[in-house]
PDB file of all heavy atoms in Angstrom:
ATOM      1  N   ASN P 191     -11.293   6.621 -30.931  1.00  0.00           N
ATOM      2  CA  ASN P 191     -11.761   7.443 -29.756  1.00  0.00           C
ATOM      3  C   ASN P 191     -10.734   7.294 -28.539  1.00  0.00           C
ATOM      4  O   ASN P 191     -10.559   8.306 -27.980  1.00  0.00           O
ATOM      5  CB  ASN P 191     -13.100   6.832 -29.318  1.00  0.00           C
ATOM      6  CG  ASN P 191     -14.196   7.215 -30.381  1.00  0.00           C
ATOM      7  OD1 ASN P 191     -14.135   8.109 -31.108  1.00  0.00           O
ATOM      8  ND2 ASN P 191     -15.333   6.478 -30.382  1.00  0.00           N
ATOM      9  N   LEU P 192     -10.232   6.132 -28.482  1.00  0.00           N
ATOM     10  CA  LEU P 192      -9.220   5.924 -27.403  1.00  0.00           C
ATOM     11  C   LEU P 192      -7.968   6.771 -27.639  1.00  0.00           C
ATOM     12  O   LEU P 192      -7.422   7.486 -26.693  1.00  0.00           O
ATOM     13  CB  LEU P 192      -8.768   4.417 -27.351  1.00  0.00           C
ATOM     14  CG  LEU P 192      -7.645   4.042 -26.352  1.00  0.00           C
ATOM     15  CD1 LEU P 192      -7.986   4.310 -24.907  1.00  0.00           C
ATOM     16  CD2 LEU P 192      -7.253   2.612 -26.482  1.00  0.00           C
ATOM     17  N   ALA P 193      -7.556   6.805 -28.934  1.00  0.00           N
ATOM     18  CA  ALA P 193      -6.314   7.457 -29.228  1.00  0.00           C
ATOM     19  C   ALA P 193      -6.506   9.038 -29.035  1.00  0.00           C
ATOM     20  O   ALA P 193      -5.680   9.824 -28.520  1.00  0.00           O
ATOM     21  CB  ALA P 193      -5.927   7.306 -30.711  1.00  0.00           C
ATOM     22  N   GLN P 194      -7.723   9.541 -29.379  1.00  0.00           N
ATOM     23  CA  GLN P 194      -8.078  10.952 -29.141  1.00  0.00           C
ATOM     24  C   GLN P 194      -8.120  11.317 -27.696  1.00  0.00           C
ATOM     25  O   GLN P 194      -7.703  12.356 -27.292  1.00  0.00           O
ATOM     26  CB  GLN P 194      -9.363  11.283 -29.862  1.00  0.00           C
ATOM     27  CG  GLN P 194      -9.348  11.293 -31.311  1.00  0.00           C
ATOM     28  CD  GLN P 194      -8.203  12.049 -31.982  1.00  0.00           C
ATOM     29  OE1 GLN P 194      -8.243  13.343 -31.707  1.00  0.00           O
ATOM     30  NE2 GLN P 194      -7.337  11.510 -32.641  1.00  0.00           N
ATOM     31  N   LYS P 195      -8.669  10.390 -26.943  1.00  0.00           N
ATOM     32  CA  LYS P 195      -8.660  10.641 -25.436  1.00  0.00           C
ATOM     33  C   LYS P 195      -7.244  10.795 -24.794  1.00  0.00           C
ATOM     34  O   LYS P 195      -6.964  11.748 -24.045  1.00  0.00           O
ATOM     35  CB  LYS P 195      -9.429   9.600 -24.647  1.00  0.00           C
ATOM     36  CG  LYS P 195     -10.970   9.665 -24.865  1.00  0.00           C
ATOM     37  CD  LYS P 195     -11.570   8.415 -23.983  1.00  0.00           C
ATOM     38  CE  LYS P 195     -13.080   8.471 -24.161  1.00  0.00           C
ATOM     39  NZ  LYS P 195     -13.698   7.449 -23.278  1.00  0.00           N
ATOM     40  N   ILE P 196      -6.372   9.911 -25.313  1.00  0.00           N
ATOM     41  CA  ILE P 196      -5.009   9.928 -24.786  1.00  0.00           C
ATOM     42  C   ILE P 196      -4.315  11.202 -25.257  1.00  0.00           C
ATOM     43  O   ILE P 196      -3.517  11.852 -24.615  1.00  0.00           O
ATOM     44  CB  ILE P 196      -4.201   8.679 -25.399  1.00  0.00           C
ATOM     45  CG1 ILE P 196      -4.789   7.395 -24.673  1.00  0.00           C
ATOM     46  CG2 ILE P 196      -2.812   8.796 -25.093  1.00  0.00           C
ATOM     47  CD1 ILE P 196      -4.266   6.091 -25.268  1.00  0.00           C
ATOM     48  N   SER P 197      -4.509  11.596 -26.497  1.00  0.00           N
ATOM     49  CA  SER P 197      -3.815  12.688 -27.101  1.00  0.00           C
ATOM     50  C   SER P 197      -4.251  13.982 -26.399  1.00  0.00           C
ATOM     51  O   SER P 197      -3.597  15.009 -26.363  1.00  0.00           O
ATOM     52  CB  SER P 197      -4.040  12.858 -28.638  1.00  0.00           C
ATOM     53  OG  SER P 197      -5.567  13.130 -28.794  1.00  0.00           O
ATOM     54  N   HIS P 198      -5.439  14.094 -25.739  1.00  0.00           N
ATOM     55  CA  HIS P 198      -6.014  15.202 -25.074  1.00  0.00           C
ATOM     56  C   HIS P 198      -5.604  15.220 -23.589  1.00  0.00           C
ATOM     57  O   HIS P 198      -5.880  16.317 -22.970  1.00  0.00           O
ATOM     58  CB  HIS P 198      -7.526  15.309 -25.283  1.00  0.00           C
ATOM     59  CG  HIS P 198      -8.032  15.692 -26.702  1.00  0.00           C
ATOM     60  ND1 HIS P 198      -8.070  14.763 -27.641  1.00  0.00           N
ATOM     61  CD2 HIS P 198      -8.263  16.915 -27.070  1.00  0.00           C
ATOM     62  CE1 HIS P 198      -8.515  15.609 -28.706  1.00  0.00           C
ATOM     63  NE2 HIS P 198      -8.609  16.868 -28.389  1.00  0.00           N
ATOM     64  N   TYR P 199      -5.080  14.141 -23.114  1.00  0.00           N
ATOM     65  CA  TYR P 199      -4.522  14.216 -21.673  1.00  0.00           C
ATOM     66  C   TYR P 199      -3.245  15.099 -21.728  1.00  0.00           C
ATOM     67  O   TYR P 199      -2.432  15.033 -22.694  1.00  0.00           O
ATOM     68  CB  TYR P 199      -4.267  12.772 -21.235  1.00  0.00           C
ATOM     69  CG  TYR P 199      -5.524  11.929 -20.897  1.00  0.00           C
ATOM     70  CD1 TYR P 199      -5.417  10.558 -21.155  1.00  0.00           C
ATOM     71  CD2 TYR P 199      -6.681  12.476 -20.545  1.00  0.00           C
ATOM     72  CE1 TYR P 199      -6.595   9.705 -20.823  1.00  0.00           C
ATOM     73  CE2 TYR P 199      -7.771  11.726 -20.294  1.00  0.00           C
ATOM     74  CZ  TYR P 199      -7.665  10.375 -20.514  1.00  0.00           C
ATOM     75  OH  TYR P 199      -8.783   9.585 -20.273  1.00  0.00           O
ATOM     76  N   PRO P 200      -3.042  15.847 -20.636  1.00  0.00           N
ATOM     77  CA  PRO P 200      -1.840  16.552 -20.565  1.00  0.00           C
ATOM     78  C   PRO P 200      -0.594  15.771 -20.620  1.00  0.00           C
ATOM     79  O   PRO P 200       0.385  16.216 -21.181  1.00  0.00           O
ATOM     80  CB  PRO P 200      -1.914  17.248 -19.139  1.00  0.00           C
ATOM     81  CG  PRO P 200      -3.364  17.284 -18.813  1.00  0.00           C
ATOM     82  CD  PRO P 200      -3.889  16.021 -19.458  1.00  0.00           C
ATOM     83  N   PHE P 201      -0.542  14.501 -20.115  1.00  0.00           N
ATOM     84  CA  PHE P 201       0.618  13.643 -20.219  1.00  0.00           C
ATOM     85  C   PHE P 201       0.134  12.437 -20.858  1.00  0.00           C
ATOM     86  O   PHE P 201       0.703  11.302 -20.531  1.00  0.00           O
ATOM     87  CB  PHE P 201       1.168  13.301 -18.815  1.00  0.00           C
ATOM     88  CG  PHE P 201       1.595  14.565 -18.052  1.00  0.00           C
ATOM     89  CD1 PHE P 201       0.774  15.268 -17.154  1.00  0.00           C
ATOM     90  CD2 PHE P 201       2.816  15.076 -18.357  1.00  0.00           C
ATOM     91  CE1 PHE P 201       1.249  16.411 -16.509  1.00  0.00           C
ATOM     92  CE2 PHE P 201       3.340  16.194 -17.625  1.00  0.00           C
ATOM     93  CZ  PHE P 201       2.503  16.915 -16.684  1.00  0.00           C
ATOM     94  N   GLY P 202      -0.690  12.574 -22.015  1.00  0.00           N
ATOM     95  CA  GLY P 202      -1.020  11.343 -22.758  1.00  0.00           C
ATOM     96  C   GLY P 202       0.237  10.694 -23.405  1.00  0.00           C
ATOM     97  O   GLY P 202       0.252   9.463 -23.478  1.00  0.00           O
ATOM     98  N   TRP P 203       1.124  11.482 -23.781  1.00  0.00           N
ATOM     99  CA  TRP P 203       2.403  10.834 -24.383  1.00  0.00           C
ATOM    100  C   TRP P 203       3.169  10.056 -23.368  1.00  0.00           C
ATOM    101  O   TRP P 203       3.709   8.901 -23.776  1.00  0.00           O
ATOM    102  CB  TRP P 203       3.342  11.951 -24.885  1.00  0.00           C
ATOM    103  CG  TRP P 203       3.808  12.856 -23.864  1.00  0.00           C
ATOM    104  CD1 TRP P 203       3.140  14.029 -23.347  1.00  0.00           C
ATOM    105  CD2 TRP P 203       5.100  12.713 -23.113  1.00  0.00           C
ATOM    106  NE1 TRP P 203       3.983  14.547 -22.323  1.00  0.00           N
ATOM    107  CE2 TRP P 203       5.175  13.739 -22.070  1.00  0.00           C
ATOM    108  CE3 TRP P 203       5.934  11.709 -23.033  1.00  0.00           C
ATOM    109  CZ2 TRP P 203       6.027  13.901 -21.172  1.00  0.00           C
ATOM    110  CZ3 TRP P 203       7.008  11.819 -22.113  1.00  0.00           C
ATOM    111  CH2 TRP P 203       7.041  12.928 -21.204  1.00  0.00           C
ATOM    112  N   LEU P 204       3.107  10.348 -22.058  1.00  0.00           N
ATOM    113  CA  LEU P 204       3.795   9.587 -21.043  1.00  0.00           C
ATOM    114  C   LEU P 204       3.112   8.222 -20.900  1.00  0.00           C
ATOM    115  O   LEU P 204       3.708   7.245 -20.560  1.00  0.00           O
ATOM    116  CB  LEU P 204       3.825  10.470 -19.800  1.00  0.00           C
ATOM    117  CG  LEU P 204       4.640   9.802 -18.602  1.00  0.00           C
ATOM    118  CD1 LEU P 204       6.047   9.596 -19.104  1.00  0.00           C
ATOM    119  CD2 LEU P 204       4.509  10.676 -17.402  1.00  0.00           C
ATOM    120  N   ILE P 205       1.809   8.170 -21.010  1.00  0.00           N
ATOM    121  CA  ILE P 205       1.129   6.933 -20.905  1.00  0.00           C
ATOM    122  C   ILE P 205       1.589   6.019 -21.855  1.00  0.00           C
ATOM    123  O   ILE P 205       1.882   4.883 -21.703  1.00  0.00           O
ATOM    124  CB  ILE P 205      -0.438   7.150 -21.007  1.00  0.00           C
ATOM    125  CG1 ILE P 205      -0.912   8.080 -19.895  1.00  0.00           C
ATOM    126  CG2 ILE P 205      -1.234   5.771 -21.019  1.00  0.00           C
ATOM    127  CD1 ILE P 205      -2.479   8.409 -19.977  1.00  0.00           C
ATOM    128  N   LEU P 206       1.598   6.423 -23.127  1.00  0.00           N
ATOM    129  CA  LEU P 206       2.171   5.627 -24.242  1.00  0.00           C
ATOM    130  C   LEU P 206       3.568   5.211 -24.145  1.00  0.00           C
ATOM    131  O   LEU P 206       3.960   4.023 -24.256  1.00  0.00           O
ATOM    132  CB  LEU P 206       1.859   6.302 -25.616  1.00  0.00           C
ATOM    133  CG  LEU P 206       0.396   6.585 -26.047  1.00  0.00           C
ATOM    134  CD1 LEU P 206       0.402   7.419 -27.387  1.00  0.00           C
ATOM    135  CD2 LEU P 206      -0.334   5.196 -26.357  1.00  0.00           C
ATOM    136  N   PHE P 207       4.337   6.146 -23.640  1.00  0.00           N
ATOM    137  CA  PHE P 207       5.690   5.818 -23.422  1.00  0.00           C
ATOM    138  C   PHE P 207       5.979   4.816 -22.442  1.00  0.00           C
ATOM    139  O   PHE P 207       6.856   3.870 -22.521  1.00  0.00           O
ATOM    140  CB  PHE P 207       6.473   7.241 -23.083  1.00  0.00           C
ATOM    141  CG  PHE P 207       7.932   7.056 -22.839  1.00  0.00           C
ATOM    142  CD1 PHE P 207       8.867   6.850 -23.803  1.00  0.00           C
ATOM    143  CD2 PHE P 207       8.389   6.991 -21.445  1.00  0.00           C
ATOM    144  CE1 PHE P 207      10.136   6.811 -23.564  1.00  0.00           C
ATOM    145  CE2 PHE P 207       9.832   6.877 -21.290  1.00  0.00           C
ATOM    146  CZ  PHE P 207      10.638   6.823 -22.135  1.00  0.00           C
ATOM    147  N   THR P 208       5.152   4.893 -21.347  1.00  0.00           N
ATOM    148  CA  THR P 208       5.294   3.890 -20.249  1.00  0.00           C
ATOM    149  C   THR P 208       4.942   2.472 -20.631  1.00  0.00           C
ATOM    150  O   THR P 208       5.399   1.482 -20.211  1.00  0.00           O
ATOM    151  CB  THR P 208       4.468   4.359 -19.022  1.00  0.00           C
ATOM    152  OG1 THR P 208       4.735   5.604 -18.612  1.00  0.00           O
ATOM    153  CG2 THR P 208       4.525   3.319 -17.802  1.00  0.00           C
ATOM    154  N   VAL P 209       3.835   2.502 -21.519  1.00  0.00           N
ATOM    155  CA  VAL P 209       3.376   1.150 -21.990  1.00  0.00           C
ATOM    156  C   VAL P 209       4.384   0.423 -22.885  1.00  0.00           C
ATOM    157  O   VAL P 209       4.430  -0.885 -22.769  1.00  0.00           O
ATOM    158  CB  VAL P 209       2.026   1.312 -22.739  1.00  0.00           C
ATOM    159  CG1 VAL P 209       1.634  -0.073 -23.269  1.00  0.00           C
ATOM    160  CG2 VAL P 209       0.924   1.902 -21.871  1.00  0.00           C
ATOM    161  N   PHE P 210       5.250   1.044 -23.445  1.00  0.00           N
ATOM    162  CA  PHE P 210       6.375   0.475 -24.147  1.00  0.00           C
ATOM    163  C   PHE P 210       7.231  -0.335 -23.177  1.00  0.00           C
ATOM    164  O   PHE P 210       7.777  -1.334 -23.565  1.00  0.00           O
ATOM    165  CB  PHE P 210       7.193   1.579 -24.896  1.00  0.00           C
ATOM    166  CG  PHE P 210       6.601   1.942 -26.254  1.00  0.00           C
ATOM    167  CD1 PHE P 210       6.001   3.048 -26.428  1.00  0.00           C
ATOM    168  CD2 PHE P 210       6.891   1.091 -27.350  1.00  0.00           C
ATOM    169  CE1 PHE P 210       5.420   3.495 -27.741  1.00  0.00           C
ATOM    170  CE2 PHE P 210       6.520   1.512 -28.651  1.00  0.00           C
ATOM    171  CZ  PHE P 210       5.578   2.675 -28.805  1.00  0.00           C
ATOM    172  N   PHE P 211       7.494   0.172 -22.098  1.00  0.00           N
ATOM    173  CA  PHE P 211       8.205  -0.577 -21.010  1.00  0.00           C
ATOM    174  C   PHE P 211       7.479  -1.878 -20.678  1.00  0.00           C
ATOM    175  O   PHE P 211       8.261  -2.963 -20.541  1.00  0.00           O
ATOM    176  CB  PHE P 211       8.458   0.254 -19.805  1.00  0.00           C
ATOM    177  CG  PHE P 211       9.564   1.269 -20.000  1.00  0.00           C
ATOM    178  CD1 PHE P 211       9.351   2.481 -20.700  1.00  0.00           C
ATOM    179  CD2 PHE P 211      10.892   1.210 -19.403  1.00  0.00           C
ATOM    180  CE1 PHE P 211      10.067   3.524 -20.891  1.00  0.00           C
ATOM    181  CE2 PHE P 211      11.661   2.157 -19.662  1.00  0.00           C
ATOM    182  CZ  PHE P 211      11.359   3.385 -20.352  1.00  0.00           C
ATOM    183  N   VAL P 212       6.271  -1.897 -20.540  1.00  0.00           N
ATOM    184  CA  VAL P 212       5.618  -3.187 -20.321  1.00  0.00           C
ATOM    185  C   VAL P 212       5.559  -4.139 -21.347  1.00  0.00           C
ATOM    186  O   VAL P 212       5.864  -5.294 -21.199  1.00  0.00           O
ATOM    187  CB  VAL P 212       4.096  -2.824 -19.864  1.00  0.00           C
ATOM    188  CG1 VAL P 212       3.334  -4.078 -19.558  1.00  0.00           C
ATOM    189  CG2 VAL P 212       4.106  -1.819 -18.767  1.00  0.00           C
ATOM    190  N   ILE P 213       5.207  -3.718 -22.589  1.00  0.00           N
ATOM    191  CA  ILE P 213       5.159  -4.754 -23.655  1.00  0.00           C
ATOM    192  C   ILE P 213       6.582  -5.202 -24.253  1.00  0.00           C
ATOM    193  O   ILE P 213       6.607  -5.958 -25.128  1.00  0.00           O
ATOM    194  CB  ILE P 213       4.239  -4.111 -24.847  1.00  0.00           C
ATOM    195  CG1 ILE P 213       4.742  -2.814 -25.451  1.00  0.00           C
ATOM    196  CG2 ILE P 213       2.937  -4.093 -24.359  1.00  0.00           C
ATOM    197  CD1 ILE P 213       5.656  -2.906 -26.504  1.00  0.00           C
ATOM    198  N   SER P 214       7.637  -4.555 -23.650  1.00  0.00           N
ATOM    199  CA  SER P 214       8.878  -5.089 -24.114  1.00  0.00           C
ATOM    200  C   SER P 214       9.301  -6.244 -23.364  1.00  0.00           C
ATOM    201  O   SER P 214      10.379  -6.942 -23.635  1.00  0.00           O
ATOM    202  CB  SER P 214       9.951  -3.928 -23.814  1.00  0.00           C
ATOM    203  OG  SER P 214       9.722  -2.791 -24.728  1.00  0.00           O
ATOM    204  N   PHE P 215       8.670  -6.657 -22.425  1.00  0.00           N
ATOM    205  CA  PHE P 215       8.969  -7.916 -21.585  1.00  0.00           C
ATOM    206  C   PHE P 215       8.164  -9.084 -22.124  1.00  0.00           C
ATOM    207  O   PHE P 215       6.960  -8.981 -22.276  1.00  0.00           O
ATOM    208  CB  PHE P 215       8.601  -7.813 -20.090  1.00  0.00           C
ATOM    209  CG  PHE P 215       9.635  -6.929 -19.384  1.00  0.00           C
ATOM    210  CD1 PHE P 215       9.479  -5.574 -19.228  1.00  0.00           C
ATOM    211  CD2 PHE P 215      10.720  -7.567 -18.671  1.00  0.00           C
ATOM    212  CE1 PHE P 215      10.396  -4.780 -18.521  1.00  0.00           C
ATOM    213  CE2 PHE P 215      11.648  -6.878 -17.990  1.00  0.00           C
ATOM    214  CZ  PHE P 215      11.446  -5.390 -17.934  1.00  0.00           C
ATOM    215  N   PRO P 216       8.805 -10.285 -22.246  1.00  0.00           N
ATOM    216  CA  PRO P 216       8.056 -11.466 -22.706  1.00  0.00           C
ATOM    217  C   PRO P 216       7.315 -11.982 -21.502  1.00  0.00           C
ATOM    218  O   PRO P 216       7.513 -11.774 -20.412  1.00  0.00           O
ATOM    219  CB  PRO P 216       9.255 -12.529 -23.004  1.00  0.00           C
ATOM    220  CG  PRO P 216      10.368 -12.013 -22.114  1.00  0.00           C
ATOM    221  CD  PRO P 216      10.293 -10.478 -22.162  1.00  0.00           C
ATOM    222  N   PRO P 217       6.027 -12.560 -21.891  1.00  0.00           N
ATOM    223  CA  PRO P 217       5.614 -12.975 -23.189  1.00  0.00           C
ATOM    224  C   PRO P 217       4.526 -11.848 -23.681  1.00  0.00           C
ATOM    225  O   PRO P 217       3.646 -12.247 -24.526  1.00  0.00           O
ATOM    226  CB  PRO P 217       4.834 -14.201 -22.897  1.00  0.00           C
ATOM    227  CG  PRO P 217       4.219 -13.956 -21.491  1.00  0.00           C
ATOM    228  CD  PRO P 217       5.364 -13.065 -20.699  1.00  0.00           C
ATOM    229  N   CYS P 218       4.689 -10.481 -23.401  1.00  0.00           N
ATOM    230  CA  CYS P 218       3.696  -9.608 -23.792  1.00  0.00           C
ATOM    231  C   CYS P 218       3.837  -9.438 -25.367  1.00  0.00           C
ATOM    232  O   CYS P 218       4.924  -9.616 -25.995  1.00  0.00           O
ATOM    233  CB  CYS P 218       4.011  -8.214 -23.186  1.00  0.00           C
ATOM    234  SG  CYS P 218       3.775  -8.249 -21.393  1.00  0.00           S
ATOM    235  N   VAL P 219       2.741  -8.955 -25.977  1.00  0.00           N
ATOM    236  CA  VAL P 219       2.689  -8.695 -27.448  1.00  0.00           C
ATOM    237  C   VAL P 219       2.172  -7.250 -27.444  1.00  0.00           C
ATOM    238  O   VAL P 219       1.607  -6.730 -26.508  1.00  0.00           O
ATOM    239  CB  VAL P 219       1.854  -9.731 -28.259  1.00  0.00           C
ATOM    240  CG1 VAL P 219       2.510 -11.093 -28.082  1.00  0.00           C
ATOM    241  CG2 VAL P 219       0.468  -9.782 -27.609  1.00  0.00           C
ATOM    242  N   GLY P 220       2.306  -6.728 -28.785  1.00  0.00           N
ATOM    243  CA  GLY P 220       1.574  -5.535 -29.116  1.00  0.00           C
ATOM    244  C   GLY P 220       2.506  -4.348 -29.362  1.00  0.00           C
ATOM    245  O   GLY P 220       2.153  -3.191 -29.443  1.00  0.00           O
TER     246      GLY P 220
END
């Protein structure tokens, strides 16, 4: 359900893309 909500947002791809910047810093995981 979360994934579908994101995919229906106009800039949902940008949300996922931005999160990659966050989880690339230690000690983040995911």
